[in-house]
Amino acid sequence: MKDNMSRAIRRHHAARIKRARLFYFGRDNHIDPRGKGMLLHTATPCSCWMCGNARRHTGLTQAEVRHRVTLAEGMTYLARATAPWKPHTMPSYTTAQSRSDLEQILALQRSNLPGAAPGQDQQGFVTLQYTVPLLESVCGPYRHVIAKDGEQVVGYTLVLLLEAKAHFPEIANMFEAVDAWRTTPARYFVMGQVCVADGYRGQGVFRGLYHKLREEMQEHFDFVATDVSRNNLRSMNAHAGVGFKEINQGSPWQVIVWDWQ
């Protein structure tokens, strides 16, 4: 009886929707049964930004992003489960002092570029590519913050001063958003990139890097700004957990600031 009622309800709503859409988007569907059937399941007549598939114009939905995060984390779990177990100590936080530190930063960066690993295009990826001379110049008299396990760099946050923004025209919109947001002259710098090595994620290294960054820079600056791809849900949530707040809306990149005042 219950199945029969469910079927009846489905048929009732199908007939109701067909009646409501007999005249739809300028089309008379009285004499076109096939057209009525199509409108029942696909009401949009085209794929423009007004009536089409929004995904094509605005990117992935949050549900799709979460699904991809789940898939990526599942693949990461399988990779860890099948890898030989190797104990490691909790990392220490310091600043990059040598060329070896900078070269290890670049090696970690390359392993986290989009396409470097399964699922990397959706979560936990970095985009800007640096070189050793660029790393040496963008931070001015300050130093990049790193997490080290012994002598191995397992995480980093990069300091990017405003004087270096000419090197990165692709993030010019971020500087414009920050300048429009701040109401009074304030000293700030940009966190140019953050990355934690696979195997050290989920252990507080991300938060530890940012706390060390604040410890090093708070005396000289009022806040730090950065941007995160809205498709990178893992990074968005991690930054919100540290204390970053969003200052823009509607852009594919979320511009966020961590106010230290």
Side-chain angles (χ1 to χ4, degrees), residues 15-58:
R16 176 182 60 80
I17 293 172
K18 286 181 179 180
R19 286 195 302 270
R21 294 175 180 172
L22 286 177
F23 293 95
Y24 203 69
F25 277 87
R27 293 176 55 186
D28 184 354
N29 294 290
H30 278 88
I31 56 175
D32 186 5
R34 182 171 180 272
K36 284 192 290 186
M38 292 174 63
L39 285 172
L40 172 64
H41 300 289
T42 308
T44 55
C46 70
S47 58
C48 72
W49 66 272
M50 292 181 65
C51 54
N53 186 350
R55 180 184 303 104
R56 178 179 301 177
H57 308 287
T58 60

CSV table of all heavy atoms in Angstrom, one decimal, residues 15-58:
chain,number,residue,atom,x,y,z
A,15,ALA,N,2.3,15.1,-13.2
A,15,ALA,CA,1.2,15.7,-13.9
A,15,ALA,C,1.0,17.2,-13.6
A,15,ALA,O,0.8,18.1,-14.5
A,15,ALA,CB,-0.1,15.0,-13.6
A,16,ARG,N,1.2,17.6,-12.3
A,16,ARG,CA,1.0,19.0,-11.9
A,16,ARG,C,2.1,19.8,-12.6
A,16,ARG,O,1.8,20.9,-13.1
A,16,ARG,CB,1.2,19.1,-10.4
A,16,ARG,CG,1.1,20.5,-9.8
A,16,ARG,CD,1.3,20.5,-8.3
A,16,ARG,NE,2.6,19.9,-7.9
A,16,ARG,CZ,3.8,20.5,-8.0
A,16,ARG,NH1,3.8,21.8,-8.4
A,16,ARG,NH2,4.9,19.9,-7.6
A,17,ILE,N,3.4,19.4,-12.6
A,17,ILE,CA,4.4,20.1,-13.2
A,17,ILE,C,4.2,20.3,-14.7
A,17,ILE,O,4.5,21.3,-15.3
A,17,ILE,CB,5.8,19.5,-12.9
A,17,ILE,CG1,6.1,19.6,-11.4
A,17,ILE,CG2,6.9,20.1,-13.6
A,17,ILE,CD1,7.3,18.8,-10.9
A,18,LYS,N,3.8,19.2,-15.3
A,18,LYS,CA,3.5,19.3,-16.8
A,18,LYS,C,2.4,20.3,-17.1
A,18,LYS,O,2.6,21.0,-18.1
A,18,LYS,CB,3.1,17.9,-17.3
A,18,LYS,CG,4.3,16.9,-17.4
A,18,LYS,CD,3.8,15.6,-18.0
A,18,LYS,CE,5.0,14.6,-18.1
A,18,LYS,NZ,4.5,13.3,-18.6
A,19,ARG,N,1.4,20.3,-16.3
A,19,ARG,CA,0.3,21.3,-16.5
A,19,ARG,C,0.9,22.7,-16.3
A,19,ARG,O,0.5,23.7,-17.1
A,19,ARG,CB,-0.8,21.1,-15.5
A,19,ARG,CG,-1.7,19.9,-15.9
A,19,ARG,CD,-3.0,19.9,-15.1
A,19,ARG,NE,-2.8,20.0,-13.6
A,19,ARG,CZ,-2.7,18.9,-12.9
A,19,ARG,NH1,-2.8,17.7,-13.4
A,19,ARG,NH2,-2.5,19.1,-11.6
A,20,ALA,N,1.7,22.9,-15.3
A,20,ALA,CA,2.3,24.3,-15.1
A,20,ALA,C,3.2,24.7,-16.2
A,20,ALA,O,3.4,25.9,-16.3
A,20,ALA,CB,3.0,24.3,-13.7
A,21,ARG,N,3.8,23.8,-16.9
A,21,ARG,CA,4.8,24.1,-17.9
A,21,ARG,C,4.3,23.9,-19.3
A,21,ARG,O,5.1,23.7,-20.3
A,21,ARG,CB,6.0,23.3,-17.7
A,21,ARG,CG,6.7,23.7,-16.4
A,21,ARG,CD,7.9,22.8,-16.1
A,21,ARG,NE,8.5,23.2,-14.8
A,21,ARG,CZ,9.5,22.6,-14.2
A,21,ARG,NH1,10.0,21.4,-14.7
A,21,ARG,NH2,10.0,23.0,-13.0
A,22,LEU,N,2.9,23.9,-19.5
A,22,LEU,CA,2.4,23.8,-20.9
A,22,LEU,C,2.9,25.0,-21.7
A,22,LEU,O,3.2,24.8,-22.9
A,22,LEU,CB,0.9,23.8,-20.8
A,22,LEU,CG,0.3,22.5,-20.3
A,22,LEU,CD1,-1.2,22.5,-20.2
A,22,LEU,CD2,0.7,21.3,-21.2
A,23,PHE,N,2.9,26.2,-21.2
A,23,PHE,CA,3.5,27.4,-21.8
A,23,PHE,C,4.7,27.7,-21.0
A,23,PHE,O,4.6,28.2,-19.9
A,23,PHE,CB,2.5,28.5,-21.9
A,23,PHE,CG,1.3,28.2,-22.8
A,23,PHE,CD1,0.1,27.7,-22.2
A,23,PHE,CD2,1.3,28.4,-24.1
A,23,PHE,CE1,-1.0,27.4,-23.0
A,23,PHE,CE2,0.2,28.2,-24.9
A,23,PHE,CZ,-0.9,27.7,-24.4
A,24,TYR,N,5.9,27.5,-21.6
A,24,TYR,CA,7.1,27.7,-20.8
A,24,TYR,C,8.2,28.2,-21.7
A,24,TYR,O,8.5,27.7,-22.8
A,24,TYR,CB,7.5,26.3,-20.3
A,24,TYR,CG,8.4,26.4,-19.1
A,24,TYR,CD1,7.9,26.8,-17.9
A,24,TYR,CD2,9.8,26.0,-19.1
A,24,TYR,CE1,8.7,26.9,-16.7
A,24,TYR,CE2,10.6,26.1,-18.0
A,24,TYR,CZ,10.1,26.5,-16.8
A,24,TYR,OH,10.8,26.6,-15.7
A,25,PHE,N,8.8,29.4,-21.3
A,25,PHE,CA,9.8,30.0,-22.1
A,25,PHE,C,9.4,30.3,-23.5
A,25,PHE,O,10.1,30.1,-24.5
A,25,PHE,CB,11.1,29.2,-22.1
A,25,PHE,CG,11.9,29.5,-20.8
A,25,PHE,CD1,11.7,28.7,-19.7
A,25,PHE,CD2,12.9,30.4,-20.8
A,25,PHE,CE1,12.5,28.9,-18.6
A,25,PHE,CE2,13.7,30.7,-19.7
A,25,PHE,CZ,13.5,29.9,-18.6
A,26,GLY,N,8.1,30.7,-23.7
A,26,GLY,CA,7.6,31.0,-25.0
A,26,GLY,C,7.2,29.9,-25.9
A,26,GLY,O,6.9,30.0,-27.1
A,27,ARG,N,7.2,28.6,-25.3
A,27,ARG,CA,6.9,27.5,-26.1
A,27,ARG,C,5.6,26.9,-25.7
A,27,ARG,O,5.2,26.8,-24.6
A,27,ARG,CB,8.0,26.4,-25.9
A,27,ARG,CG,9.3,26.7,-26.5
A,27,ARG,CD,10.4,25.7,-26.2
A,27,ARG,NE,9.9,24.4,-26.6
A,27,ARG,CZ,10.6,23.2,-26.4
A,27,ARG,NH1,11.7,23.3,-25.6
A,27,ARG,NH2,10.2,22.1,-26.8
A,28,ASP,N,4.8,26.5,-26.8
A,28,ASP,CA,3.5,25.8,-26.5
A,28,ASP,C,3.7,24.3,-26.5
A,28,ASP,O,4.0,23.7,-27.6
A,28,ASP,CB,2.5,26.2,-27.6
A,28,ASP,CG,1.1,25.6,-27.3
A,28,ASP,OD1,1.0,24.8,-26.4
A,28,ASP,OD2,0.2,25.9,-28.1
A,29,ASN,N,3.6,23.6,-25.4
A,29,ASN,CA,3.9,22.2,-25.3
A,29,ASN,C,2.7,21.3,-25.3
A,29,ASN,O,2.8,20.1,-25.0
A,29,ASN,CB,4.7,22.0,-24.0
A,29,ASN,CG,6.1,22.6,-24.1
A,29,ASN,OD1,7.0,22.2,-24.8
A,29,ASN,ND2,6.3,23.7,-23.3
A,30,HIS,N,1.5,21.9,-25.7
A,30,HIS,CA,0.3,21.1,-25.7
A,30,HIS,C,0.5,19.9,-26.7
A,30,HIS,O,0.0,18.8,-26.5
A,30,HIS,CB,-0.9,22.0,-26.2
A,30,HIS,CG,-1.5,22.7,-25.0
A,30,HIS,ND1,-1.0,24.0,-24.7
A,30,HIS,CD2,-2.5,22.4,-24.2
A,30,HIS,CE1,-1.8,24.4,-23.7
A,30,HIS,NE2,-2.7,23.5,-23.3
A,31,ILE,N,1.1,20.2,-27.8
A,31,ILE,CA,1.1,19.2,-28.9
A,31,ILE,C,2.5,18.5,-29.0
A,31,ILE,O,2.8,17.9,-30.0
A,31,ILE,CB,0.8,19.9,-30.3
A,31,ILE,CG1,1.8,21.0,-30.5
A,31,ILE,CG2,-0.6,20.4,-30.3
A,31,ILE,CD1,1.6,21.6,-31.9
A,32,ASP,N,3.3,18.7,-27.9
A,32,ASP,CA,4.6,18.1,-27.9
A,32,ASP,C,4.8,17.3,-26.7
A,32,ASP,O,5.4,17.8,-25.7
A,32,ASP,CB,5.7,19.2,-28.1
A,32,ASP,CG,7.1,18.6,-28.2
A,32,ASP,OD1,7.2,17.3,-28.3
A,32,ASP,OD2,8.1,19.4,-28.2
A,33,PRO,N,4.3,16.0,-26.6
A,33,PRO,CA,4.5,15.2,-25.4
A,33,PRO,C,5.9,15.0,-25.0
A,33,PRO,O,6.3,15.0,-23.8
A,33,PRO,CB,3.8,13.9,-25.8
A,33,PRO,CG,3.0,14.2,-26.9
A,33,PRO,CD,3.6,15.3,-27.7
A,34,ARG,N,6.8,14.9,-26.0
A,34,ARG,CA,8.2,14.7,-25.7
A,34,ARG,C,8.8,16.0,-25.0
A,34,ARG,O,9.6,15.9,-24.0
A,34,ARG,CB,9.0,14.4,-26.9
A,34,ARG,CG,10.5,14.2,-26.7
A,34,ARG,CD,11.2,13.7,-28.0
A,34,ARG,NE,12.6,13.4,-27.8
A,34,ARG,CZ,13.5,14.3,-27.9
A,34,ARG,NH1,13.2,15.6,-28.3
A,34,ARG,NH2,14.8,14.0,-27.7
A,35,GLY,N,8.3,17.2,-25.5
A,35,GLY,CA,8.8,18.4,-24.9
A,35,GLY,C,8.3,18.5,-23.4
A,35,GLY,O,9.0,19.0,-22.5
A,36,LYS,N,7.1,18.1,-23.2
A,36,LYS,CA,6.6,18.1,-21.8
A,36,LYS,C,7.4,17.2,-20.9
A,36,LYS,O,7.7,17.5,-19.7
A,36,LYS,CB,5.1,17.7,-21.8
A,36,LYS,CG,4.1,18.8,-22.3
A,36,LYS,CD,2.7,18.5,-22.0
A,36,LYS,CE,2.2,17.3,-22.8
A,36,LYS,NZ,0.8,17.1,-22.6
A,37,GLY,N,7.7,16.0,-21.4
A,37,GLY,CA,8.5,15.1,-20.6
A,37,GLY,C,9.9,15.7,-20.3
A,37,GLY,O,10.4,15.5,-19.2
A,38,MET,N,10.5,16.4,-21.3
A,38,MET,CA,11.8,17.0,-21.1
A,38,MET,C,11.7,18.1,-20.0
A,38,MET,O,12.6,18.2,-19.1
A,38,MET,CB,12.4,17.5,-22.4
A,38,MET,CG,12.8,16.5,-23.4
A,38,MET,SD,13.3,17.2,-25.0
A,38,MET,CE,14.7,18.1,-24.5
A,39,LEU,N,10.7,18.9,-20.1
A,39,LEU,CA,10.5,20.0,-19.1
A,39,LEU,C,10.3,19.5,-17.7
A,39,LEU,O,10.6,20.2,-16.7
A,39,LEU,CB,9.3,20.9,-19.6
A,39,LEU,CG,9.6,21.8,-20.7
A,39,LEU,CD1,8.4,22.5,-21.2
A,39,LEU,CD2,10.7,22.9,-20.3
A,40,LEU,N,9.7,18.3,-17.6
A,40,LEU,CA,9.4,17.7,-16.3
A,40,LEU,C,10.8,17.5,-15.5
A,40,LEU,O,10.9,17.8,-14.3
A,40,LEU,CB,8.7,16.4,-16.4
A,40,LEU,CG,8.5,15.6,-15.1
A,40,LEU,CD1,7.7,16.3,-14.1
A,40,LEU,CD2,7.9,14.2,-15.5
A,41,HIS,N,11.8,17.1,-16.3
A,41,HIS,CA,13.0,16.7,-15.6
A,41,HIS,C,14.1,17.8,-15.8
A,41,HIS,O,15.0,17.9,-15.0
A,41,HIS,CB,13.5,15.4,-16.1
A,41,HIS,CG,12.6,14.3,-15.9
A,41,HIS,ND1,12.4,13.7,-14.6
A,41,HIS,CD2,11.8,13.6,-16.7
A,41,HIS,CE1,11.5,12.8,-14.7
A,41,HIS,NE2,11.1,12.6,-16.0
A,42,THR,N,14.0,18.6,-16.9
A,42,THR,CA,15.0,19.6,-17.2
A,42,THR,C,14.3,20.8,-17.6
A,42,THR,O,14.0,21.0,-18.8
A,42,THR,CB,16.0,19.1,-18.3
A,42,THR,OG1,16.5,17.8,-18.0
A,42,THR,CG2,17.1,20.1,-18.5
A,43,ALA,N,14.1,21.7,-16.7
A,43,ALA,CA,13.3,22.9,-17.0
A,43,ALA,C,14.0,24.0,-17.8
A,43,ALA,O,13.4,24.8,-18.4
A,43,ALA,CB,12.7,23.5,-15.7
A,44,THR,N,15.3,24.0,-17.8
A,44,THR,CA,16.0,25.0,-18.4
A,44,THR,C,16.2,24.7,-19.9
A,44,THR,O,16.6,23.7,-20.3
A,44,THR,CB,17.4,25.2,-17.8
A,44,THR,OG1,18.1,24.0,-17.8
A,44,THR,CG2,17.3,25.7,-16.4
A,45,PRO,N,15.8,25.7,-20.8
A,45,PRO,CA,15.9,25.4,-22.2
A,45,PRO,C,17.3,25.6,-22.8
A,45,PRO,O,17.6,25.2,-23.9
A,45,PRO,CB,15.0,26.5,-22.8
A,45,PRO,CG,15.1,27.6,-21.9
A,45,PRO,CD,15.2,27.0,-20.5
A,46,CYS,N,18.2,26.2,-22.1
A,46,CYS,CA,19.6,26.4,-22.6
A,46,CYS,C,20.6,26.4,-21.4
A,46,CYS,O,20.2,26.1,-20.3
A,46,CYS,CB,19.7,27.7,-23.3
A,46,CYS,SG,19.7,29.2,-22.3
A,47,SER,N,21.9,26.6,-21.7
A,47,SER,CA,22.9,26.5,-20.6
A,47,SER,C,23.6,27.8,-20.4
A,47,SER,O,24.8,27.9,-20.1
A,47,SER,CB,23.9,25.4,-21.0
A,47,SER,OG,24.5,25.7,-22.3
A,48,CYS,N,22.9,28.9,-20.6
A,48,CYS,CA,23.5,30.3,-20.3
A,48,CYS,C,23.6,30.5,-18.8
A,48,CYS,O,23.1,29.7,-18.0
A,48,CYS,CB,22.6,31.4,-21.0
A,48,CYS,SG,21.1,31.7,-20.1
A,49,TRP,N,24.2,31.6,-18.4
A,49,TRP,CA,24.4,31.9,-17.0
A,49,TRP,C,23.1,32.1,-16.2
A,49,TRP,O,23.0,31.9,-15.0
A,49,TRP,CB,25.3,33.1,-16.8
A,49,TRP,CG,24.7,34.4,-17.3
A,49,TRP,CD1,24.7,34.9,-18.5
A,49,TRP,CD2,23.9,35.3,-16.4
A,49,TRP,NE1,24.0,36.1,-18.5
A,49,TRP,CE2,23.5,36.4,-17.3
A,49,TRP,CE3,23.6,35.3,-15.1
A,49,TRP,CZ2,22.8,37.4,-16.8
A,49,TRP,CZ3,22.8,36.4,-14.6
A,49,TRP,CH2,22.5,37.4,-15.5
A,50,MET,N,22.0,32.4,-17.0
A,50,MET,CA,20.7,32.6,-16.3
A,50,MET,C,19.9,31.4,-16.0
A,50,MET,O,19.4,31.2,-14.9
A,50,MET,CB,19.8,33.6,-17.1
A,50,MET,CG,20.4,35.0,-17.2
A,50,MET,SD,19.3,36.1,-18.2
A,50,MET,CE,17.8,36.1,-17.2
A,51,CYS,N,20.0,30.4,-16.9
A,51,CYS,CA,19.1,29.3,-16.7
A,51,CYS,C,19.8,27.9,-16.9
A,51,CYS,O,19.2,26.9,-16.9
A,51,CYS,CB,17.9,29.3,-17.7
A,51,CYS,SG,18.4,29.5,-19.4
A,52,GLY,N,21.1,28.0,-17.0
A,52,GLY,CA,21.9,26.7,-17.3
A,52,GLY,C,22.5,26.1,-16.1
A,52,GLY,O,22.1,26.4,-14.9
A,53,ASN,N,23.5,25.4,-16.3
A,53,ASN,CA,24.2,24.7,-15.3
A,53,ASN,C,25.1,25.7,-14.6
A,53,ASN,O,26.1,26.1,-15.1
A,53,ASN,CB,25.0,23.5,-15.9
A,53,ASN,CG,25.7,22.7,-14.8
A,53,ASN,OD1,25.7,23.0,-13.7
A,53,ASN,ND2,26.2,21.6,-15.2
A,54,ALA,N,24.8,26.1,-13.3
A,54,ALA,CA,25.6,27.1,-12.7
A,54,ALA,C,27.0,26.7,-12.5
A,54,ALA,O,27.9,27.5,-12.4
A,54,ALA,CB,24.9,27.4,-11.3
A,55,ARG,N,27.3,25.4,-12.4
A,55,ARG,CA,28.6,24.9,-12.2
A,55,ARG,C,29.6,25.4,-13.3
A,55,ARG,O,30.7,25.7,-13.1
A,55,ARG,CB,28.6,23.4,-12.2
A,55,ARG,CG,29.9,22.7,-12.0
A,55,ARG,CD,29.8,21.2,-12.1
A,55,ARG,NE,28.8,20.7,-11.2
A,55,ARG,CZ,27.6,20.3,-11.6
A,55,ARG,NH1,27.2,20.4,-12.9
A,55,ARG,NH2,26.7,19.8,-10.7
A,56,ARG,N,29.0,25.5,-14.5
A,56,ARG,CA,29.9,26.0,-15.6
A,56,ARG,C,30.3,27.4,-15.4
A,56,ARG,O,31.4,27.8,-15.9
A,56,ARG,CB,29.1,25.9,-16.9
A,56,ARG,CG,29.8,26.3,-18.1
A,56,ARG,CD,29.0,26.1,-19.4
A,56,ARG,NE,28.6,24.8,-19.6
A,56,ARG,CZ,27.8,24.3,-20.6
A,56,ARG,NH1,27.3,25.2,-21.4
A,56,ARG,NH2,27.5,23.0,-20.7
A,57,HIS,N,29.5,28.2,-14.7
A,57,HIS,CA,29.8,29.7,-14.6
A,57,HIS,C,30.4,30.1,-13.3
A,57,HIS,O,31.1,31.1,-13.2
A,57,HIS,CB,28.5,30.4,-14.9
A,57,HIS,CG,27.9,30.1,-16.2
A,57,HIS,ND1,28.4,30.4,-17.4
A,57,HIS,CD2,26.7,29.3,-16.4
A,57,HIS,CE1,27.6,29.9,-18.4
A,57,HIS,NE2,26.6,29.2,-17.8
A,58,THR,N,30.1,29.3,-12.2
A,58,THR,CA,30.5,29.8,-10.9
A,58,THR,C,31.4,28.7,-10.2
A,58,THR,O,31.7,28.9,-9.0
A,58,THR,CB,29.2,30.0,-10.0
A,58,THR,OG1,28.5,28.8,-9.9
A,58,THR,CG2,28.4,31.1,-10.5
